Structures are given as C-alpha cells and as structure tokens.
Amino acid sequence: MARIAFVGVGDISGIYLKNITHLFDGLEVVGVCDLVREKAEKAAREYSIPKLYENMHELFADPQVDIVLNLTRPNEHYKVTKAALEAGKHVYSEKPLAAEVGQGRELLLLAESRGLWLCGAPDTFLGAGQQGCRRLLEEGLIGRPVGAAAHMICRGHESWHPDPAFYYEAPGGGPLLDMGPYYITALVNLLGPVRSVMGMTKISFPRRGITSEPLAGTDIGVSVPTCAMALLHFRSDALATLFVTFDVFSMPGVNNIEIYGTKGNMIVPDPNNFGGEIQIKLGEANAPNAAEVPGGGRWIPIDSPYDAYGENSRALGLADMVSAMREGRSARASAAQMLHVLEVLQAVSRSSESGKEVDIEAPFAPAPRMAL
C-alpha cells in the first residue's frame, strides 16, 4: 500500500480524495495539511484521514508518508516539491511542474540525484478519450498527421472562483500555465515531442472585475498575458496552432482539438476531461466511391477502444506512478513530460518577447499507451 499525504486541500483536492479512497487500489491517504487549517480538518473528517499536520515540514518528516501529493497553487509548486524531495519523499504534483523552466529542470535533477520518483498532472491523457484517439492514430485511421488546431476559449475565472486573483498573477498565472498543460500534454502524446515554437501574447484587460462571492465588487490587477496564440512545429514534422485565452466568450462549435491527417480528420475530446466523444471525417479520395466513406464524408462518432477511465479519474497518473514503481517501468505522467510541456508553454511567451522562433530542448518521448 502506497501511503499518500496531501499538501493543500483546495478545490481540486475533493476529486483526488474521492478517487484515491474509492477508485484506485494500492493507495492510502494517511494525512493532510493546508495553510487554512479548517480545510484540512474538513477533509480529515469527511474521509477518515488519521493525521492532520500543522505544516508541510511536519508532513515531510513523517516516516509513514511515502508520496507527497502537491496540490498547492502553481506559483508554490516548485518550493513545495523541492522541500519534499530534499526530505526524501517521492512527489506527485498538480500542473505545472514549476512556474519557470529552470526550476523544473532543477527539480528533475534533484529527484534523479536522490533516486526519487517525481510525476504529475495532467493525467487526463490517460483516459479513454485520448488513449482511444492515440490508438486510432497509431492504427492509421486518418493517415499521417499533417497538422492540428487546439483552442481553449473562456472569459476568465472571476465570475465563479471564490478567490481568482492568482489566475492573473505572475509567475504561474494566465491561461498558458493554467489550462495549457492539458492541451500540450494531449498534443505531444498524439503527435510526439515539439521541436520549436513561435508565439504571440497580450493582456486584453489590465484590470478584471470580480463578480463571484465573497469578493464581488473588487477588482484584480493583471500581470500575466491572458491571450496567447502559437504555432508548434513537432519533430514528426506536423504543425499545430494553439489559442488559449481568458478574454473571449466561448464559441459553440469550436472544437478543443482537431487533428488533420492525410486520409481524414479527427476531433479529439476535451483534454480537460478523461472521456468524451471521438469523431472522424474521412476524405472521399480514400474510398473507391463516396458511398464507402463513413458517414458519406460527414463527421461521425467513433467508440473508443478503451472502456476504463471515461469519467473523472484524477489521480490516475498517481496510481500509474505507484504501479510503475512496483513493476520497475517508467511512469506515464512523468516529470520529463511535465518539463517538456512547461518548456513549450514558456516558449510561447519567450517567442512573443523576442519575435523569434524558440527551439525546445527538453527531451521527451511519449510513454506506451495504457493497456486495454
């Protein structure tokens, strides 16, 4: 049994607690801590967690803890993960790995030097939706991928989040590091590692008015780009566009991810979810006559070959990490993947500042697909 302790029990912690205690075998929550003690007390009561730590350092010193689950805010990931590794603990972290690429590299080297495991979110790419897409791509259903387009369009968090300021603060804020990891993780698992990036970013609204309680009527100063567009060149030679924004009202009919192949196209389910419908459209040139084209050239749904993990399965990456530790294989939601994704996302901002194409250095190769 792998013994897990939480650092941070905010909004995302609920689904982790539920899935670790009810969905995945071989995992046990032994303790929690949070800067707001009432949150930790509530989690401990609801899930019968035996230990409530005063602070993260007390948690790190507990010999009963095998893995630290870092669920703190993005700008805190680096210091919390570093402290846990220095204390000799394995770590699974929410995304991103860190707010800066240099910090991410430091964490990888620290984990490697101490013989510790470091993995993290997102793990949605392990769900039935994206794993199904990957298998269909590998089987050549739409031919060789030529390009892709990814869109994350929303009007920000100040209308629903109880304390949205950190989404607009540097370092760690903005749509690139908040939602970008879902999209880039999906793309690199479907198309392979990224070779280079060109990007442009901007701040559309220097101040944002909060309408959600309890801070309704106050406003936020914005210090991080809230709108970004990028062109990604993959080592497979595929090209992709990425558009992420907190500034635009969502548009019906805009797909989260589309992949364009030599034989047809594929709509990939929302990468923020584990399941979702896969759709394809095959070109008429790939059949003797139009009648033999599935759907007559229209978009048609395709069932995923995977039955498992179609619902919200957060902590699946943690469960896979524990299985990998026991089986002596690489974990799928690896720190190497997290670092590659972080470098791609930061390259968008670097390219915007320099006006030049930015090469991606962090090595990465997608892990094998999940077993059926």
Side-chain angles (χ1 to χ4, degrees), residues 212-245:
S212 57
E213 295 297 341
L215 301 176
T218 61
D219 63 6
I220 306 166
V222 179
S223 60
V224 64
T226 50
C227 187
M229 297 192 74
L231 177 64
L232 313 177
H233 191 180
F234 292 79
R235 295 195 180 277
S236 64
D237 209 34
L239 299 175
T241 58
L242 173 72
F243 178 43
V244 294
T245 182

Side-chain angles (χ1 to χ4, degrees), residues 55-367:
N55 54 57
M56 68 179 188
H57 299 290
E58 182 182 344
L59 182 157
F60 299 154
D62 186 352
Q64 297 300 311
V65 174
D66 300 317
I67 301 172
V68 172
L69 179 54
N70 183 358
L71 301 185
T72 57
R73 291 182 172 182
N75 62 358
E76 300 169 335
H77 288 177
Y78 164 73
K79 68 178 183 181
V80 173
T81 295
K82 182 179 179 180
L85 292 171
E86 289 177 336
K89 302 299 185 184
H90 306 297
V91 177
Y92 186 92
S93 175
E94 252 301 324
K95 50 76 185 170
L97 177 62
E100 301 289 342
V101 172
Q103 294 176 341
R105 289 197 183 99
E106 181 185 345
L107 293 176
L108 257 70
L109 292 173
L110 178 59
E112 290 172 356
S113 69
R114 307 242 173 156
L116 296 169
W117 289 70
L118 174 59
C119 297
D123 54 2
T124 46
F125 76 100
L126 298 175
Q130 291 184 50
Q131 289 290 299
C133 288
R134 182 170 168 186
R135 175 165 176 154
L136 295 172
L137 285 174
E138 291 176 356
E139 291 174 347
L141 182 63
I142 64 167
R144 174 176 55 84
V146 174
H151 305 86
M152 195 298 296
I153 300 171
C154 77
R155 196 59 173 81
H157 299 64
E158 59 270 28
S159 65
W160 61 270
H161 197 281
D163 188 15
F166 72 94
Y167 286 106
Y168 300 100
E169 297 171 346
L176 277 170
L177 289 190
D178 177 46
M179 294 300 294
Y182 295 106
Y183 288 76
I184 299 302
T185 300
L187 288 172
V188 299
N189 274 275
L190 297 172
L191 302 176
V194 176
R195 174 186 296 164
S196 62
V197 174
M198 293 193 70
M200 300 183 74
T201 66
K202 68 171 185 173
I203 296 174
S204 299
F205 307 101
R207 301 202 70 81
R208 316 277 298 218
I210 301 177
T211 58
S212 57
E213 295 297 341
L215 301 176
T218 61
D219 63 6
I220 306 166
V222 179
S223 60
V224 64
T226 50
C227 187
M229 297 192 74
L231 177 64
L232 313 177
H233 191 180
F234 292 79
R235 295 195 180 277
S236 64
D237 209 34
L239 299 175
T241 58
L242 173 72
F243 178 43
V244 294
T245 182
F246 286 164
D247 301 338
V248 176
F249 293 104
S250 60
M251 296 182 291
V254 176
N255 296 310
N256 296 103
I257 297 178
E258 295 183 13
I259 298 179
Y260 313 119
T262 55
K263 295 181 180 179
N265 303 330
M266 174 183 290
I267 295 176
V268 179
D270 184 347
N272 191 27
N273 298 329
F274 286 80
E277 185 178 74
I278 303 169
Q279 297 184 59
I280 66 162
K281 181 194 290 185
L282 297 182
E284 294 183 12
N286 298 297
N289 58 69
E292 296 185 14
V293 179
R298 300 186 303 274
W299 286 109
I300 61 169
I302 297 289
D303 291 333
S304 173
Y306 290 81
D307 295 325
Y309 308 120
E311 303 302 322
N312 191 340
S313 304
R314 277 177 170 81
L316 176 55
L318 173 59
D320 179 77
M321 170 185 169
V322 171
S323 295
M325 295 168 74
R326 292 170 180 159
E327 297 167 8
R329 60 170 174 85
S330 297
R332 291 179 172 89
S334 67
Q337 174 173 278
M338 296 181 79
L339 180 62
H340 184 79
V341 169
L342 177 60
E343 185 176 359
V344 170
L345 292 168
Q346 289 220 310
V348 178
S349 298
R350 290 174 55 204
S351 175
S352 181
E353 293 167 0
S354 68
K356 298 178 180 179
E357 186 174 4
V358 175
D359 292 332
I360 303 302
E361 299 176 359
F364 168 70

